[in-house]
Amino acid sequence: MEYFTRTWTTDDGLPHNSTSRVVQDATGFMWFATLGGLARFDGREFRKLPVTGVSESLGFNIRGLAEERPGTLLVIPTGGELLRLTGSAMTVHPASAEFTAMGDTPVDLHVESSGVVWIGTFRGRLLRWQPDGTATWFSREGPLAPRSKKFTFATDEAGRTWAASDGFLAVFRDGDWQRHEASSGGSMLIAQGRGGSIWVCNATGLQRLEHGRLVTVCTHVPWQNEFNAIRHVFEDSSGNVWIASSRRGLFRCTGGRVEQIAVPFSGVSFLTEDREGNLWAATDSGAVQLREKAFQHFNVATGLRQESVSSVSEDGHGRVWLANRAGGLAAVGQGGGPQPPGWPDAAVFANVVCADFRNRLWFGGGGDGLYRVSLDDGASPKRMPQPARDPHLLFAAKNGEVWFAGTGAEELGCYRDDHVRLFGPEDGFTVQRIRAIAEDAKGHLWLGGPDGNLLSWDGARFRDFDVAPGLPHRPIHAITIDAGGVIWICTAGGLIVKDGERFHLLTQAHGLADEILQQVLEDDFGRMWFASSRGFFHVPKSELLAVVRGKAARVTSHAFGRSQGLVGMTSTPNYQPAAARSRDGRLWFAMAQGAVAIDPQRLPRDLPPPPVVIDEIRLDGAVLPQAGGLRVPSGKHRLDFRFAALTYTIPDAVMVRHQLEGADAGWVESGTDRTANYSGLPPGDYRLRVIARNSTGQWNNQGAALAFTIVPAWWETVYARAGGLLLLAGMSGWIARTVSQRRLKARLRRLEQEHALEKERARIARDLHDDLGASLTEVGLLADRLVSTPAPELGPQLAGLAWRTRRLATELSGIVWTMSPKNSTLDRLGEFIRRYAQRLFRATAIECVVRGAEQLPAIPLAPDPQHQLLATIKEALNNVLKHSRATRVIIAMTFEQETIELAVIDDGVGFAPASTTGSDGNGLRNMKSRITEIGGTLAIASVPGEGTKVTLRVPLQPARKK
């Protein structure tokens, strides 16, 4: 029997790699005594116990560890004290005073079921400590021999305590130690056996003590010359006796035969077993867990000629054949490694191998084609005519036919004895690659391949299921059909299940561990096993069918990999058969790294439900005691709960649920998380419940529970609320008055808004009168003149009329533009000015350049500043057009420090600003008045003959805040 080992070291949180003792307490936690202190393990992480109440130096280099009673451990450090650990508090045990008085040091521990504690000392004494505090010493002046090794203890069928050391084997009876006749047999170790028997190990062999008689079990032992290296003896729940050695690792005695167990460590000081059947070894290299290995891996290291295996098949003699590609064929018998076949010319390239129902083996690959050989008569392999090259698939049907598919998409055929048949369109077969075949109870074949089509063969014709209801189009890797007729199809995009007449697709959304599925097999325990791109996993078949039939939403996938010591496996999907179930129940898979045989019988089944512990409570990061009547202040506090599900068999597969009664409507799926967090809980009584399920699906529905109260603040109490009601009643009148006043203020605001609206309407009317009225009057007068104008002079007059009409349209467009709410931003104003100026000067000899409009930000702009800015710019541009005689005008826009600056610069004749009179002077004054009205400034710089620059600057901060 092989064992899988997993080692935890300081990299995983262990205080020190050198461990001396391992104890599982009544709750289910594992405790490790190390050279660096004491650590508790919950299956996921270590927690080093802080030393409180004793000298910190006593908390290191733990050499003795035992459970005194539930919740209390006895700890022996090297400092010469006996310590007692209750919860997280470490105190000095009262018996320590006895050792001080005797000038001795405690070393070994044993606790009877009655609570009596036995302590073996460095000087070979034994101290009996009773629960009432009575201490009794037994020294070497009595029946004890001088100590040179250690004391070990066990309890016989009558409940009496036995002890052994160098030259000493005795039972405690009638208040004293009574030596056994084997006491003179030199140094020995004893261990508890089943049914009250006691194992006795010495340099000459292994014996069992029953009813006071020693029975020799094994005399040929490998430690005869180095018994001083033996550190511990232990019997596991299966009856195997284990011997721990500080030099040669572990030995196991089964059926009177001792064998050394291959483990990756040599120094072992202690061995024990947890409640789930996992073995734990304290070693010099860390804490080690041992479990029966549930798989075998066949590769070059175990005898294959090449690492990769592409196909597997079992023959009628129970041998499993491996297609080892360039390594040819290899056969694996019961309990052995891979061996080459016994016939001549066996070095045929083998991509595929398949045994038929007449115990003939079909194999081949590459340029060697297909071969067949009888496994009963010893004849040499015979080369078959089809396929000529590289078969990729072989399948033995129940009617004796052997189907094959070659490397070409058109090569699908079968053999019946020596007669070969190739299938084509006349059989309903559309040319495609076939890489998977399975046979149902009616003898119909189901076929698929990487092209994604699913076919069936009824013995006469193929049927294509390409348009079947519910059937997705996915590349097909493998097909299997169970005894109930359900068809399971592995694809590159999930699992297709045909249950009855309908197809169903299951993916990771339904709980599958992976969607790229290469192979599928069913074991004898109701589990479907999958080889996928992420390794192996299995799912209860009942859960898969429950989802398919609409009775459940998800399945639970159980990984089979790192936790079992199997990593880095890659399936080979291009050949069939690439998976097989042998008659002994093992599941065989062809892999790029050899072949893997999984034994489902060795997987843990029906483990006890995991104990659940609410391990820690934190309020705003500070740890709270879990004493009864826990009270937490109300307010915006954060509560963090940490819990543990104490299972050590694939702990990563544990699922946890929690519910805070009073806050959560139902169970919250924590998954593999071990925490729950709540913030700002209102005052009231609460109860946190936590339940968990282990890797075999067993739920601990009782779980753990913790009740606590969120204490209301003074203003949340009944008295405060009553006072609040009185205060509320007293304030009702005041509130009514306040509401009335607010309504009055709201009415005033509405009146103000109506007044502002009327003001805005008046402004619009003024703009229409000022901007459009004069223009319309001018157009009318021009039209009157046209009536009396001679025909030859109509051209210039009509041109002027057209120009004025276009200008009138532009003015109207500007007024309409300012009325639109979407244009009430600075960037839209800049864009309008750019378009207005370009249209204004388009038909003139003046070149218009606009700069900076696209860089203005999209900040809100109140209607009044928007109107005044636009009117001022339009006036300045009209002045350029009428008076400047310029050839070029530049409009520059910038926005800095919450201020808009607009400049109109022309290269015209200019003027002396101080000499402006008449209408022109009024126009400039109106421009300054407009800008001053909105809190800005306007500057005019002009020199006769050198042009004019009009600059206006307006702060917009007030508008942005609105």
Side-chain angles (χ1 to χ4, degrees), residues 414-640:
C414 71
Y415 279 95
R416 183 180 289 274
D417 295 325
D418 289 332
H419 302 286
V420 64
R421 176 182 180 180
L422 294 177
F423 297 100
E426 65 278 6
D427 304 298
F429 176 66
T430 304
V431 174
Q432 58 189 288
R433 294 172 293 174
I434 299 298
R435 294 292 181 266
I437 302 182
E439 186 173 10
D440 63 21
K442 297 179 181 179
H444 295 170
L445 300 183
W446 295 79
L447 306 89
D451 298 323
N453 294 331
L454 180 66
L455 310 174
S456 70
W457 169 258
D458 61 5
R461 191 167 183 82
F462 288 95
R463 175 189 173 189
D464 195 331
F465 282 82
D466 189 41
V467 293
L471 178 63
H473 194 272
R474 301 284 193 280
I476 295 174
H477 294 154
I479 305 173
T480 189
I481 305 175
D482 65 21
V486 178
I487 302 177
W488 307 84
I489 305 171
C490 290
T491 79
L495 175 67
I496 298 175
V497 183
K498 184 178 184 297
D499 184 32
E501 295 301 319
R502 290 197 59 82
F503 293 88
H504 307 267
L505 176 65
L506 303 185
T507 65
Q508 287 178 287
H510 298 96
L512 294 182
D514 194 5
E515 293 181 2
I516 304 178
L517 307 177
Q518 314 285 20
Q519 303 296 334
V520 57
L521 290 174
E522 182 180 5
D523 68 12
D524 295 327
F525 304 97
R527 295 174 293 211
M528 303 299 293
W529 287 76
F530 299 92
S532 76
S533 64
R534 299 183 181 180
F536 297 103
F537 67 94
H538 58 86
V539 182
K541 179 179 173 181
S542 59
E543 292 187 15
L544 291 166
L545 291 176
V547 173
V548 165
R549 294 167 184 173
K551 298 179 181 179
R554 290 179 60 84
V555 301
T556 301
S557 296
H558 302 273
F560 186 91
R562 184 173 301 276
S563 295
Q564 291 81 14
L566 185 63
V567 294
M569 295 290 106
T570 305
S571 182
T572 53
N574 296 321
Y575 304 96
Q576 183 177 319
R581 184 175 68 177
S582 56
R583 63 192 64 189
D584 60 5
R586 288 188 293 173
L587 309 178
W588 294 75
F589 295 91
M591 312 298 291
Q593 298 80 19
V596 173
I598 298 174
D599 189 353
Q601 299 182 73
R602 296 191 183 277
L603 264 67
R605 298 189 300 274
D606 300 327
L607 293 173
V612 181
V613 178
I614 299 176
D615 194 32
E616 187 178 79
I617 312 166
R618 289 181 178 266
L619 177 65
D620 297 331
V623 177
L624 295 180
Q626 294 193 40
L630 179 63
R631 297 170 68 83
V632 179
S634 67
K636 295 183 179 180
H637 299 291
R638 176 184 172 92
L639 273 174
D640 298 300

Side-chain angles (χ1 to χ4, degrees), residues 722-743:
L725 289 175
L726 293 175
L727 181 62
L728 180 62
M731 293 180 65
S732 297
W734 177 82
I735 293 174
R737 181 181 177 185
T738 302
V739 171
S740 177
Q741 290 178 343
R742 288 183 178 178
R743 287 177 178 175

Side-chain angles (χ1 to χ4, degrees), residues 168 205 233 425 478 502 950 957:
F168 175 69
V233 180
R502 290 197 59 82
V950 178
Q957 181 66 22

